Amino acid sequence: VQLQASGGGLVQAGGSLRLSCAASGRTFSSHIMGWFRQAPGKEREFVACIRWGGGRTYYADSVKGRFAISRDNAKNTVYLQMNSLKPEDTAVYYCARAFGYSEHPSSYRYWGQGTQVTVSS
């Protein structure tokens, strides 16, 4: 399984970005695709996740109402639409896959390489 994250960049506060995560290999309805982020000097934190089957979504409180996670099953791709970005959203964003719902990084077995998001004030 390989995960390829893309879409990061530099944006001004209040702006938007859309991250993509293309997954290779088979996927099952029980699989969870998640987005995490890690800022310098901080631990990796949960952002959002989605179940391949059914599409149920979960969000960290810090991004609710601003970020939206979605998936395209035909393309084996998960997206993270980020709106109303704030400087505190600056981090490296990682996509990952788990076998069941979890907000803890240790539950995710496969990880993408990360994409940098920088929000200027």
Side-chain angles (χ1 to χ4, degrees), residues 11-39:
V11 64
Q12 289 188 331
S16 299
L17 282 174
R18 189 177 81 156
L19 306 183
S20 300
C21 177
S24 65
R26 295 186 65 186
T27 56
F28 298 92
S29 60
S30 60
H31 284 168
I32 292 283
M33 293 296 297
W35 285 98
F36 291 79
R37 65 187 182 186
Q38 189 166 18

Side-chain angles (χ1 to χ4, degrees), residues 55-88:
R56 184 170 181 176
T57 58
Y58 308 83
Y59 296 93
D61 289 342
S62 59
V63 306
K64 278 181 183 176
R66 300 189 298 124
F67 291 11
I69 189 171
S70 61
R71 86 238 188 271
D72 184 329
N73 288 4
K75 295 182 178 180
N76 257 15
T77 299
V78 174
Y79 304 96
L80 184 69
Q81 178 66 43
M82 305 186 295
N83 300 323
S84 302
L85 283 161
K86 304 175 181 180
E88 51 263 43

